[in-house]
Amino acid sequence: MEKASQDKREKNASYQPEMHVRNANSREIFKNNRLTSQFLRNYTDIPLLANVMPEDIEDVSEKYQAFLGVEFESDTIKKVYIRKADGTIEREVYVLSLIEHKSDIDYDVAMQLLRYMCVIWQEYKATQNKIQEGSSRRKNFRYPLIIPIVYYEGKRKWTADLNLKDRIEFSEEMEKYIPDFTYQVVSVRQYTNEELSEKHDEMSLVMLINKIQTEEDLSEFRKVSEEMVDSTYGNAPDEIKEIYKKILWSLLMKLKVPNEEASNIIGEIGGHGMGYLFENMDEIDIGALKRKVALTRQRAEEEKQRAEEEKQRADEEKQRADALEEELQRLRKRLEIQGQK
C-alpha cells in the first residue's frame, strides 16, 4: 500500500506534499478512538451514537482500503458496537467518514461514499456466507447500517447535494428506480468558537485549531479562553498531545512559517503547554508572516540576481582571458615564423 501510494504521487503532477501532511494528520485524528467517540457523541446529533465510548469503536479502514486503492487512504471506516443497558453488544454499525480534510466543496462525495458502502456490504456478505453458507439468500438476512459522514473544514458553505439520487439523471421522474441515501456534513464552521469551547473536550480543541485559515480566524482564536485551551491540552493523553502538535505543524506550514521557527514553536509547546501558543501568538501572525515571507523571497531574488551578475562578470573575465591567450598564441606563431626566415 505504501509503495503504491508513493508511485501514484510520483506520477501525479498535482500532488501537494503540504496537503498530504494535512490529510495524514486528519486521518490520525479519526484513527484515535477517544477523539472519534467525542466527535460522534457531540457533533453528529445521531441518537444511536449518543453514548458511544472509545471502547465501542474498532478501526477497520485498512481492510476496505485494500479494495478501493490509495485514492481513499485518508478516509476512515469505524465499526461501532451499540450496547444494551447492561453493557452487552446489541448490534454493530459502520460509520464511514470522509476526513481527507475536505477544504473545498466536492460535488461527487455521494458517489465516493457509495463505492465505500458497496465494498463494506459485499465484504460483510462474503464473511457471513463463510460462517453459514447461503445465509445472505435468506429472508431474514440484513446488511449492517452504514452512517456516512463528511468532515468539512472549508470556509464556504457546503452546497453539494446531500442525496445520491440528485447526482443521477431523471431523479424526479424515475425516483423509485434510483438507489438513494443521505450523508451528513459536519463543518467546523457551523460552530462558533464559544460553542466549541463549551464542549471542553479534546475534539473541540482540534476543531478550534482547524478553523484557523485567515487573519480573522487567528484573531478570533485569540479570544478563546487560554485556560480552557491549556487545560484541555494538559489533561489530554500523550497520544492526543502528539496529534495536537501535528495539527499545529500543519497550520504553521500552511501559514508558511519557516521550518526552523515552526520546530521551535512546536518544541516549546511540548515543553510548556498550549499557553505558550497564546504568549507567542505574534510569532505566527499571518500578516507578519506574509511580510516576512515576501521579504525572504525578495532577498533570495536579490541574492540570485547578484550571483547571476557575478557569474556574468566571471564569464566576461574568462572570455577576455581566453581572447588574450589566443592573441598571445598568434603572436608566438608570428615570431616563430619570422625567426625561421
Side-chain angles (χ1 to χ4, degrees):
M1 180 75 72
E2 185 72 24
K3 180 63 167 62
S5 175
Q6 184 175 346
D7 289 345
K8 178 178 178 177
R9 292 166 195 157
E10 288 174 353
K11 293 175 183 176
N12 184 356
S14 64
Y15 174 67
Q16 299 174 324
E18 223 171 86
M19 184 57 70
H20 175 68
V21 170
R22 292 178 65 80
N23 292 350
N25 291 343
S26 62
R27 184 179 178 189
E28 284 190 58
I29 293 167
F30 287 90
K31 281 183 74 68
N32 183 282
N33 288 346
R34 182 180 173 110
L35 292 175
T36 301
S37 65
Q38 292 173 5
F39 177 76
L40 296 177
R41 287 198 310 268
N42 297 330
Y43 299 99
T44 63
D45 297 322
I46 298 174
L48 189 64
L49 305 176
N51 299 310
V52 169
M53 301 302 290
E55 57 268 25
D56 300 326
I57 299 172
E58 178 186 355
D59 191 286
V60 292
S61 307
E62 292 185 7
K63 179 178 181 180
Y64 298 101
Q65 284 156 359
F67 292 95
L68 289 162
V70 297
E71 179 184 352
F72 299 87
E73 67 179 0
S74 299
D75 308 327
T76 61
I77 303 173
K78 301 288 187 179
K79 185 186 288 187
V80 180
Y81 298 100
I82 307 301
R83 300 182 186 273
K84 299 178 183 177
D86 62 2
T88 58
I89 297 174
E90 179 180 12
R91 68 185 70 178
E92 60 185 50
V93 301
Y94 288 81
V95 175
L96 170 57
S97 178
L98 298 192
I99 52 122
E100 50 186 333
H101 258 63
K102 294 287 186 188
S103 57
D104 204 355
I105 302 166
D106 184 344
Y107 290 95
D108 208 36
V109 157
M111 197 59 69
Q112 187 175 348
L113 289 164
L114 178 63
R115 289 180 64 188
Y116 263 123
M117 296 166 83
C118 290
V119 166
I120 293 170
W121 282 324
Q122 182 63 32
E123 195 278 334
Y124 180 84
K125 170 185 171 180
T127 299
Q128 295 305 310
N129 284 336
K130 285 180 181 177
I131 297 172
Q132 188 172 9
E133 188 176 352
S135 63
S136 64
R137 295 195 296 271
R138 296 179 180 176
K139 184 177 181 178
N140 62 348
F141 181 85
R142 293 293 182 273
Y143 289 90
L145 171 67
I146 301 174
I147 302 173
I149 299 171
V150 172
Y151 177 64
Y152 177 55
E153 294 182 347
K155 286 186 70 68
R156 291 196 298 157
K157 182 180 179 182
W158 186 269
T159 54
D161 293 317
L162 300 179
N163 289 80
L164 174 67
K165 67 179 177 62
D166 294 321
R167 293 291 287 176
I168 301 174
E169 291 184 338
F170 299 102
S171 60
E172 294 182 4
E173 302 92 323
M174 308 295 286
E175 183 176 6
K176 68 178 181 179
Y177 298 104
I178 299 173
D180 193 26
F181 65 85
T182 298
Y183 63 90
Q184 182 178 156
V185 175
V186 177
S187 169
V188 296
R189 297 284 169 180
Q190 72 190 66
Y191 299 96
T192 66
N193 285 1
E194 291 73 21
E195 289 171 331
L196 291 172
S197 298
E198 288 171 3
K199 303 285 186 182
H200 212 292
D201 58 23
E202 290 95 354
M203 189 64 201
S204 66
L205 182 52
V206 167
M207 295 174 74
L208 278 166
I209 297 170
N210 282 342
K211 284 184 71 176
I212 302 173
Q213 296 184 24
T214 65
E215 290 184 67
E216 183 182 353
D217 295 334
L218 191 58
S219 177
E220 287 301 312
F221 181 77
R222 286 176 162 179
K223 299 175 185 177
V224 174
S225 167
E226 179 181 342
E227 182 182 356
M228 185 282 291
V229 171
D230 206 29
S231 66
T232 300
Y233 176 86
N235 294 322
D238 288 343
E239 64 270 19
I240 293 182
K241 286 181 180 178
E242 289 303 313
I243 291 173
Y244 283 138
K245 292 176 190 176
K246 290 175 181 178
I247 297 171
L248 286 168
W249 178 267
S250 296
L251 171 63
L252 296 175
M253 292 300 98
K254 180 182 177 183
L255 300 181
K256 307 299 183 185
V257 177
N259 281 10
E260 184 176 351
E261 290 185 27
S263 296
N264 291 337
I265 292 171
I266 298 300
E268 291 296 333
I269 288 171
H272 298 89
M274 290 286 278
Y276 179 86
L277 190 64
F278 284 85
E279 294 167 13
N280 297 273
M281 193 66 81
D282 288 337
E283 293 186 28
I284 61 169
D285 178 76
I286 295 177
L289 284 168
K290 285 180 179 177
R291 291 190 293 275
K292 184 173 182 178
V293 169
L295 181 60
T296 301
R297 285 177 179 168
Q298 181 182 345
R299 287 175 177 169
E301 286 296 325
E302 289 172 354
E303 287 294 330
K304 181 181 177 183
Q305 185 175 350
R306 278 196 292 270
E308 288 175 352
E309 289 173 355
E310 287 292 334
K311 183 177 182 299
Q312 184 177 351
R313 281 195 292 270
D315 289 343
E316 289 172 355
E317 288 293 334
K318 186 176 183 300
Q319 287 174 3
R320 282 195 292 270
D322 290 344
L324 182 59
E325 178 65 25
E326 186 177 341
E327 181 63 20
L328 287 172
Q329 290 291 344
R330 189 177 65 79
L331 288 172
R332 285 194 192 102
K333 287 182 179 178
R334 180 181 293 177
L335 289 171
E336 286 175 3
I337 293 170
Q338 289 177 351
Q340 289 173 359
K341 291 180 178 178

